């Protein structure tokens, strides 16, 4: 599984599976403790052994021979380049605004900044907002900042 078990995507999958009828344990792949013989052999000199299907081996040996599978990472939607984004997460309006090298979060109104959050990465800020307030109903949208528009309106046209 590419996503950590505590991610929003994993939580959604858990809730979907919770509503489905349970599958019998015999249909799940893998090895159970009942599959390992009680008198299974173990390599010499190891403290903790890992079952390789035939015997208990050291971590290094098991890791070198264990099949590794990786789920492809889901493609994240490409957002247009902007200095601020807005979404309605759950029932709360949330703004993410770039301030220098960090993204700041505003929840409820554009003036109520979350003082406990700042991130150098937009994707991290989006994931955090969705974890705290719920998934974005319409997705994230680039926002024109009112301050930038006011500055352009008051700029000297002769320059």
């Amino acid at each position: 599984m590419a996503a950590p078990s505590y991610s929003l995507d994993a939580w959604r999958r858990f809730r979907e599976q919770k509503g489905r009828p349970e599958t019998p344990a015999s249909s799940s792949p893998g090895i159970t403790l009942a599959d390992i013989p009680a008198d299974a052999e173990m390599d010499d000199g190891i403290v903790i052994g890992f079952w390789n299907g035939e015997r208990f081996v050291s971590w290094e040996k098991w890791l070198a021979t264990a099949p590794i599978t990786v789920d492809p990472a889901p493609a994240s939607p490409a957002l247009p380049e902007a200095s601020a984004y807005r979404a309605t997460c759950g029932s709360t309006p949330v703004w993410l605004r770039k301030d220098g090298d960090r993204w700041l979060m505003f929840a409820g109104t554009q003036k109520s900044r979350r003082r406990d959050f700042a991130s150098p990465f937009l994707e991290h800020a989006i994931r955090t907002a969705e974890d705290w307030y719920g998934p974005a109903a319409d997705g994230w949208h680039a926002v024109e900042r009112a301050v930038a528009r006011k500055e352009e309106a008051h700029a000297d046209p002769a320059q």
Side-chain angles (χ1 to χ4, degrees), residues 42-84:
M42 185 172 180
D43 285 353
D44 293 332
I46 60 173
V47 177
I48 298 176
F50 294 86
W51 183 252
N52 70 358
E54 299 173 6
R55 61 186 297 127
F56 286 100
V57 295
S58 68
W59 166 256
E60 292 85 14
K61 195 180 280 186
W62 178 82
L63 186 60
T65 59
I68 298 174
T69 60
V70 177
D71 290 340
S76 60
L79 293 172
E81 190 71 27
S83 61

Side-chain angles (χ1 to χ4, degrees), residues 77-146:
L79 293 172
E81 190 71 27
S83 61
Y85 295 92
R86 182 189 188 286
T88 302
C89 296
S91 62
T92 307
V94 177
W95 289 266
L96 299 175
R97 191 173 302 150
K98 186 146 179 99
D99 180 35
D101 292 339
R102 61 192 179 159
W103 288 92
L104 305 177
M105 185 184 304
F106 297 80
T109 67
Q110 291 188 46
K111 294 183 181 184
S112 58
R113 177 179 166 226
R114 292 284 311 238
R115 300 270 179 211
D116 59 347
F117 181 81
S119 174
F121 305 105
L122 175 61
E123 287 189 14
H124 173 252
I126 288 173
R127 285 194 316 267
T128 303
E130 290 183 352
D131 278 346
W132 287 352
Y133 298 106
D138 263 351
W140 291 87
H141 305 285
V143 175
E144 285 276 333
R145 291 184 60 182

